[in-house]
Amino acid sequence: MSEENMNVGENAENAENTGSAENLGSAENVGNTERSNASRIVTEKIGEYSGKVDGWVEGALGVIGNRPWDSWLDTANGYISRLLPAVIALAGILACLTGLVTMIKDDAPFSLVVKQLFVLVPAVFAMHLAPKALALARSFIEKGEPAVIRPELMYIMKVVCGIGGLILGAYLLLNFDGALAVLAISVIIFAVLMVICLERPGIVGVKPGYPVNCVEEVIALVLFPIRMVIALLTLLIGMAAVGGLVYGVVQWFDSGMYAALVFGATAIVPFAIPLLVYFLYLVVVFTLDFYRAIVSIPRKLDELKK
């Protein structure tokens, strides 16, 4: 074979190889483009569905949270504070009368019958001091320095405790045939209250922000449920007092002396519980402040060295 023919064959082979390489490269580029488009479409779909989920969650929280709860709570506290003395007075009178009637029926000694009248004395003090004890407990939040919790954490708490609590309460109601109805209702009420307090953090004396250190953040988180109880204390006390009156009337037909004890507790609890909450809060805050002081000692020593 001549040298010219060999060169022609080599050129043809090179051209064929070049064409094959170009075709392979073109096919590979097409494959990469298709994979890139598919990945982009998947990413867009995920973002779209994520946005829908965010919208659903925000809407579900908004159904509960986007209400003027703070003004409603102020109104309820005002009415309860004015009506509570009357409820306490009625409970004290019913406790005294129920005890008198029961002792007379049981032929109790005259001295015990007369002593039963002194039940009205603590009721009078409770009637006068209960609104002031409630105001004393609420002053921690209304007059104190607001705690700081990260807004991201507040949102997580709102979703987990709010929507998670509602789902858990519904699950308990549907799967236990009313056996855990009280627990399920309590969980649902707690979830709703958490959403309200986190949507309106000023109710519990909290504001979104970034604590100066981890100790302050831990203290704010520990005190959050206690602050929630204090903020709702007037409402809870009012409901408990009315419930005590109703329960005492129901028990009146079964046991007169037991009903008298229920009425007596109803008269005293609205004064005793706020004081107890006040002192417990003092103890908790003092303990946390003491812990804060101990933790800050190394930092203070370092500052003195510098």
Side-chain angles (χ1 to χ4, degrees):
M1 182 180 295
S2 65
E3 184 176 353
E4 184 178 351
N5 291 334
M6 291 180 63
N7 290 335
V8 171
E10 289 177 357
N11 291 334
E13 184 177 356
N14 291 334
E16 183 179 355
N17 291 336
T18 301
S20 299
E22 290 178 354
N23 291 334
L24 289 174
S26 177
E28 185 176 355
N29 290 333
V30 171
N32 291 335
T33 302
E34 290 178 351
R35 284 193 294 271
S36 177
N37 290 334
S39 177
R40 180 174 55 80
I41 292 173
V42 170
T43 303
E44 290 177 354
K45 288 294 183 182
I46 292 175
E48 180 182 350
Y49 292 138
S50 177
K52 289 182 179 180
V53 171
D54 290 343
W56 293 339
V57 173
E58 293 285 353
L61 294 174
V63 171
I64 301 174
N66 294 336
R67 300 289 185 275
W69 293 108
D70 42 3
S71 61
W72 290 354
L73 182 61
D74 290 339
T75 302
N77 287 342
Y79 278 114
I80 292 172
S81 297
R82 287 193 291 269
L83 293 177
L84 191 59
V87 174
I88 294 173
L90 179 60
I93 293 172
L94 289 176
C96 183
L97 291 178
T98 306
L100 286 174
V101 171
T102 303
M103 287 185 175
I104 292 172
K105 285 183 177 180
D106 294 340
D107 294 328
F110 180 75
S111 59
L112 290 179
V113 176
V114 173
K115 289 178 181 178
Q116 187 65 28
L117 294 173
F118 286 90
V119 173
L120 291 175
V121 175
V124 169
F125 280 104
M127 177 184 67
H128 177 65
L129 296 177
K132 296 175 177 58
L134 285 169
L136 174 67
R138 290 201 310 268
S139 65
F140 278 118
I141 294 173
E142 296 173 354
K143 308 298 181 183
E145 185 71 20
V148 178
I149 298 180
R150 298 175 189 270
E152 299 86 357
L153 180 58
M154 291 177 65
Y155 183 80
I156 292 173
M157 292 169 61
K158 186 165 52 178
V159 173
V160 173
C161 297
I163 295 180
L166 293 175
I167 293 174
L168 177 60
Y171 174 81
L172 292 175
L173 281 176
L174 295 175
N175 287 275
F176 291 93
D177 299 327
L180 298 177
V182 175
L183 177 61
I185 294 173
S186 300
V187 170
I188 292 173
I189 292 175
F190 174 78
V192 172
L193 291 178
M194 283 293 291
V195 173
I196 292 172
C197 292
L198 289 167
E199 282 283 348
R200 297 284 190 275
I203 293 176
V204 294
V206 172
K207 64 179 181 180
Y210 296 93
V212 295
N213 53 53
C214 294
V215 176
E216 298 295 333
E217 191 161 8
V218 169
I219 291 174
L221 291 176
V222 170
L223 291 179
F224 184 84
I226 305 176
R227 285 173 172 267
M228 189 169 72
V229 171
I230 293 176
L232 302 174
L233 189 59
T234 302
L235 185 61
L236 297 175
I237 290 295
M239 294 170 59
V242 174
L245 280 177
V246 175
Y247 182 67
V249 171
V250 172
Q251 293 299 318
W252 201 341
F253 300 98
D254 294 332
S255 173
M257 188 53 67
Y258 180 65
L261 293 175
V262 172
F263 287 133
T266 302
I268 301 301
V269 162
F271 167 64
I273 293 298
L275 282 184
L276 180 62
V277 170
Y278 170 77
F279 286 115
L280 286 178
Y281 191 81
L282 275 183
V283 171
V284 172
V285 172
F286 175 78
T287 303
L288 293 175
D289 283 345
F290 188 70
Y291 171 75
R292 177 193 295 158
I294 293 176
V295 171
S296 65
I297 288 176
R299 179 172 56 83
K300 296 292 185 182
L301 292 176
D302 290 339
E303 291 177 356
L304 289 175
K305 290 179 181 179
K306 293 179 181 179

